[in-house]
Amino acid sequence: MEESEKRRPTRKVMVGNVPIGGDAPVSIQSMTNTPACDIEATVAQIKALEDVGCDIVRVAVPDMASAEAVRSIKEQISIPLVADIHFDHQLALKAMENGADKIRINPGNIGSKDRVREVVNMASQKGIPIRVGVNSGSLEKPLLDKYGRVCAEALVESAINHALILEDSDFRDIVISIKSSDVVMSYKAYQLLSQKTDYPLHIGITEAGTPYRGTIKSAVGIGALLLNGIGDTLRVSLTGDPVEEVRAAKEILRACGLYSRGIQFISCPTCGRTQIDLIRIANEVEQALEDIDKPIKVAVMGCVVNGPGEAREADIGIAGGRGSAVLFKKGQIIKKVDEDRIVETLVQAIKEL
Ligand code: SF4
């Protein structure tokens, strides 16, 4: 697989035991959509996210009960936890006290310098990084007035201003995100930001939409950035089950040559030459292989025109014929399989690899 552009060098910060930036692999984040104070539901959702490969999880902490719940949630999960806080520095302090591995808060919104210093002191003491997260929907009024509208330059200036407040308190364990639901604006903003700072960047398209549209928008925006070497951690934001966010994130990383675990799946679009039910077969094989973590390239091809070529390039694959298919393994034809046994035979052969 071709590699994407060389990654832009960034500082490394540690979120619990997961590094972000530097030479660390691009990590996958998601966010729970359960109230944090419903500890049971939140833990169950985080475990489901862990199971599909989420590296870091974020929970909204809108009140003291949620900040209190952080401790109990942390005790029951294995991946680092980020507390997402707006405005109230007391919530940030409580979440950190209770074991949050990172907080997301914009220091410019906390209020007095003393409050910022309190947050920074605790974060420094505990080795907790802070994400400055600028969002096009909540851009500060002076910047809106200065630029006359929400634009990439305004988002970048806002992010840099927030980071400077932390730097003023000698704090540099910073991750920055600047999110917009506009793909082109996000792309420009992150490009601009990456020229101005070496803090690691959390990338994503915010409020991207429902799984179909949201995945496409995220793939275009995040994918374009990653192919330009920009982005140290990412979240795909979907209106849906957060598990789908992690699945989408993995596929985006895989397509950019930045994720080698699990199945790399190739299947042909089918055409008038297809003589087996390839759509069903491809879907069933893909589903059956979801939990496999080993890097294996699998090709499910409809016919012998392009089929054997792709199937031979893959670790394993099939090329369809009339009511049957040929099974290839590491470039060698293994056997002919009847249509009704293709899925089972291919899945079995992959599991044996
Ligand atoms: S591999 Fe064969 S069946 Fe599939 S799209 Fe190409 S030509 Fe058609």
Side-chain angles (χ1 to χ4, degrees), residues 268-271 273-274 301-307:
C268 85
T270 73
C271 73
R273 294 185 193 90
T274 322
M301 308 299 292
C303 81
V304 291
V305 174
N306 296 321

Side-chain angles (χ1 to χ4, degrees), residues 10-22:
T10 51
R11 305 164 70 102
K12 188 188 280 187
V13 305
M14 291 301 294
V15 182
N17 58 1
V18 175
I20 296 182

Side-chain angles (χ1 to χ4, degrees), residues 53-102:
C54 182
D55 297 308
I56 299 169
V57 69
R58 181 159 48 115
V59 297
V61 175
D63 49 34
M64 230 2 131
S66 303
E68 293 287 3
V70 166
R71 183 178 299 276
S72 181
I73 295 169
K74 267 290 292 175
E75 283 167 5
Q76 300 176 66
I77 63 171
S78 327
I79 53 175
L81 183 80
V82 185
D84 189 290
I85 294 146
H86 289 285
F87 308 114
D88 189 343
H89 82 297
Q90 293 291 353
L91 298 178
L93 295 172
K94 184 55 81 180
M96 287 191 280
E97 205 181 293
N98 282 338
D101 297 291
K102 177 175 154 204

Side-chain angles (χ1 to χ4, degrees), residues 315-317 326-337 345 349:
D315 293 303
I316 194 151
V326 185
L327 180 73
F328 288 87
K329 199 167 167 181
K330 307 274 185 200
Q332 303 291 325
I333 296 177
I334 302 294
K335 60 181 168 186
K336 196 172 160 196
V337 187
T345 309

